[in-house]
Amino acid sequence: LQVRLKILPLLKGEVQVSELVFKKPVVRIRRNAQGEFNFQDMIPEAPAETQPRVEKPGPPAEPQPPSVLAAFGVGELTVRDATVVYEDRTAAEGVPSEPRILTVSRLDASIENISLFDAVSFNIEGSLFDEPGRNFQIAGQVGPLGRDMDFMKTPLNVEVKTDPLPLMRLTESLRLPVSALSGTLNVDISAAGSLDQNM
C-alpha cells in the first residue's frame, strides 16, 4: 500500500491523502456449499427489532458524515496488477460438484475525484481466465451519490468492452444455464441512467 499526501495541508498541520495505491493485491472470494461467502463474518448483522418503533417528533436530524474516503479527503484510489479469484462450491440441485473458479488477473483500476457531491470517474481493465493480455475494460462515471448514498437513484454512465472471450470457459465459470462447446463472445455495451429508472 502506498499513500500519497497533499503537501499544502501538511504545512498547516493537517493530514490529507491525495491518493491510495494498492500494488499487486490478491483477493480470494470463496462461496461454500451452503452458499455462504468467506467474508460474511466481517459484515455485522442488523439487530432484530422485537417491537415496532414509534417515531417521536424531535429536532431535525443532523446531516450524516460523508463516506470514509471522502471524509479523509482521498482524491484518488488506484489498484495496480491485482488478482481476484472467485471460487464457488455451491451444490447444483443439492448434488455436490467440482468448485467453479473464475480468475481475474492483471487488474488495474482507478477511481478519480472521489466525492459525494460530484460525479466520480472510474476505469477498470484486466484479464479474465488469466489470459496473457488484458481482455476487458469497464469505464465511466457514477454519481453524485449525495449524503443519503442511495445507489438505486445514483446516476450511472458506463461502457463495457471485451476482446473475444471463450464461450465454453465463460459459461462454465459463471454457471450459466446454457453450455457452449466452442466459439467466442465480444461485448461492447454503453449504458446510462439509474437503477430505479430506465437505463
Side-chain angles (χ1 to χ4, degrees):
L1 171 64
Q2 186 178 50
V3 181
R4 295 179 178 168
L5 302 178
K6 296 180 181 179
I7 300 299
L8 290 179
L10 277 178
L11 300 177
K12 302 176 185 177
E14 300 175 4
V15 177
Q16 292 186 18
V17 179
S18 63
E19 185 180 11
L20 291 176
V21 182
F22 293 90
K23 295 183 178 181
K24 295 189 176 183
V26 177
V27 178
R28 299 184 187 277
I29 302 172
R30 292 189 181 95
R31 192 178 186 193
N32 64 19
Q34 291 74 37
E36 298 169 337
F37 288 98
N38 59 340
F39 55 81
Q40 283 188 210
D41 58 341
M42 298 169 59
I43 303 172
E45 294 182 9
E49 293 187 15
T50 55
Q51 297 178 353
R53 286 180 11 189
V54 178
E55 296 293 336
K56 297 179 181 179
E62 295 182 6
Q64 295 295 316
S67 66
V68 174
L69 291 179
F72 283 99
V74 178
E76 186 173 346
L77 175 66
T78 303
V79 178
R80 293 182 184 155
D81 201 16
T83 301
V84 179
V85 180
Y86 174 66
E87 181 181 329
D88 190 345
R89 293 179 173 269
T90 53
E93 299 179 358
V95 179
S97 59
E98 290 295 317
R100 307 285 181 164
I101 298 175
L102 177 64
T103 302
V104 180
S105 58
R106 299 168 187 83
L107 184 67
D108 286 356
S110 65
I111 304 174
E112 299 177 355
N113 307 319
I114 296 174
S115 167
L116 294 176
F117 307 107
D118 294 309
V120 177
S121 301
F122 60 89
N123 186 64
I124 303 167
E125 55 184 19
S127 171
L128 274 171
F129 313 122
D130 207 18
E131 294 285 324
R134 293 182 173 92
N135 54 17
F136 77 90
Q137 180 181 24
I138 305 170
Q141 288 187 326
V142 61
L145 287 168
R147 285 196 179 272
D148 295 335
M149 290 191 284
D150 188 343
F151 293 99
M152 295 299 291
K153 295 181 180 179
T154 300
L156 176 67
N157 190 338
V158 64
E159 291 186 3
V160 180
K161 295 182 180 181
T162 71
D163 291 341
L165 299 174
L167 277 174
M168 183 175 180
R169 295 185 73 180
L170 194 64
T171 55
E172 287 179 352
S173 299
L174 299 179
R175 289 184 178 241
L176 298 179
V178 295
S179 59
L181 299 178
S182 64
T184 59
L185 172 71
N186 285 51
V187 175
D188 191 345
I189 299 173
S190 297
S194 62
L195 296 177
D196 71 335
Q197 297 178 357
N198 294 331
M199 292 288 287

